[in-house]
Amino acid sequence: MPLTPCQQIALDKIKKNHNIFLSGIAGTGKSYLVRQVIKGLDRKAFPVLASTGAAAVIIGGRTFHSFFGLGIMEGGFEGTVQKASQDKRLKGRLRKMEGLVLDEVSMIPSPAFEAAEKICRLVLKDNRPWGGKRLICVGDFAQLPPISANSRTKDWAFLSHAWQQTEFENILLKTIVRTREKEFIDVLNEIRIARPTSLARDFLNSKTEPFVEDYDGTCLFPRRQQTDGFNIKKLAQIDSAPRIFPTKYEGRKEAIESLKKQAPIPPVLELKIGALVMLRQNDPAYRFINGTTGHVIDIETDRISIELKNKRVIEVEPSEFSLLDADGEVAASAFNFPLCLAYALTIHKAQGTTLDEALIDLRNLWEPGQAYVALSRLSSSDGLKLIGWDESSILADEQVTRFYENIER
């Protein structure tokens, strides 16, 4: 797939020896560009990290916290830094690396970002930011925030002293490749900063209709309980015997338990002919991407045939999803078809996917960026339907808005 002009400019800048913060509104191809960046990297010289285990599994990297030995920072900031900086394996990792790629940086809390930077300086005995190592950070702070002790105040990484000292060259992707609809893009931009005008309100009202059980697309709900119950209910309505595919796990016990929570596939995949499913990985041949949906038309032991929404028929085989340890070695692996039921997803689980159609519940949301993440999954407003929405659910963090306004200036 050809790069957009702004993606090509970004890639050229990334190849230079600068600290980079790559961002942009949803749908500008940040994830695709990251995959191009890491293709030719030596993973020991440039480890690929992610903020969460789920993101790490999808990108084939390690978690930021495990790489830097942060744990849950139960010893407090100074205790965590001192303990980690004495870890011989961590010292070896830092001395071998030239820099690192960090995906989904928006979900790294400020204290963790600050601690990792200080650990680098202590271990490498170099007072330059990150001990002189290079950072390529990717993410959109207007999407889902880090988990913070105080739900009202978010510990954004860009608020840390370490972020300021890193002196990032900021790159904002501008060309939206997920959708070309100007009105939809304008609406998304208003939702992104939680300043809806009559344009956004009229748009959302026009997309709201009564909930119907026989909707043949993916529903996005705010809570997991709604999602799990809806998937079970919809599958039960298909009058045929299910085929059960237990996910096979290998690795260390504690790593397997973690992978069960983080992998995009369920511990047990239950399918029927006619079931609506979602592909949960990007196909190297670009037949599908993470979020592509279709209906099961044939089930064999070693392959499943799926008719995609565009009427194309593909066959998928079992895949491996791996959780890497701090040293980049496989700690646990999960083997199964790269599928999940697609009748419903939580908005959080939908982050990173691209959907052709969705029925979304935008009521009683609680996180800044949650409504924006949900709506920006769509490749076309034609495929968007709303169960309902309320203006109090359209939330943004003013610190994030000011952060991007300063970058733009």
Side-chain angles (χ1 to χ4, degrees), residues 66-250:
S66 69
F67 181 84
F68 284 105
L70 301 180
I72 58 173
M73 298 186 69
E74 64 272 23
F77 181 86
E78 291 299 336
T80 298
V81 169
Q82 289 302 319
K83 181 180 179 181
S85 61
Q86 300 304 314
D87 187 309
K88 291 183 179 179
R89 295 170 74 95
L90 174 57
K91 289 180 179 181
R93 293 195 293 272
L94 296 182
R95 288 168 182 156
K96 288 177 184 176
M97 79 176 194
E98 298 173 16
L100 59 87
V101 177
L102 173 56
D103 195 24
E104 301 285 9
V105 66
S106 63
M107 299 184 76
I108 300 290
S110 173
F113 194 82
E114 195 88 41
E117 192 277 332
K118 187 171 183 179
I119 290 166
C120 285
R121 285 189 284 112
L122 287 173
V123 169
L124 300 170
K125 296 179 171 59
D126 188 326
N127 283 326
R128 290 177 295 172
W130 300 90
K133 302 299 183 179
R134 186 183 178 214
L135 260 68
I136 301 171
C137 291
V138 184
D140 179 9
F141 287 103
Q143 296 190 41
L144 295 174
I147 297 173
S148 302
N150 185 340
S151 60
R152 293 187 177 183
T153 304
K154 300 301 180 185
D155 291 325
W156 303 105
F158 65 78
L159 296 174
S160 68
H161 178 69
W163 187 279
Q164 308 306 319
Q165 293 297 107
T166 303
E167 297 183 340
F168 286 108
E169 179 174 354
N170 300 307
I171 302 174
L172 297 182
L173 299 181
K174 299 288 185 69
T175 306
I176 297 178
V177 293
R178 186 171 289 158
T179 181
R180 300 292 187 187
E181 300 171 47
K182 185 181 184 306
E183 183 187 37
F184 189 30
I185 292 170
D186 290 341
V187 168
L188 290 177
N189 286 335
E190 291 185 9
I191 301 298
R192 176 184 172 86
I193 60 175
R195 296 175 188 169
T197 67
S198 58
L199 172 69
R201 294 188 187 97
D202 291 346
F203 175 86
L204 295 176
N205 287 332
S206 73
K207 294 295 181 179
T208 303
E209 57 185 56
F211 178 61
V212 289
E213 287 281 342
D214 61 350
Y215 175 69
D216 190 34
T218 301
C219 297
L220 297 186
F221 295 121
R223 301 187 183 278
R224 182 178 175 182
Q225 186 176 8
Q226 294 171 282
T227 299
D228 292 346
F230 193 73
N231 276 322
I232 292 170
K233 182 178 181 179
K234 292 290 285 185
L235 187 67
Q237 291 174 355
I238 299 176
D239 187 19
S240 63
R243 291 287 301 273
I244 308 297
F245 296 93
T247 298
K248 298 176 182 177
Y249 297 96
E250 293 180 358

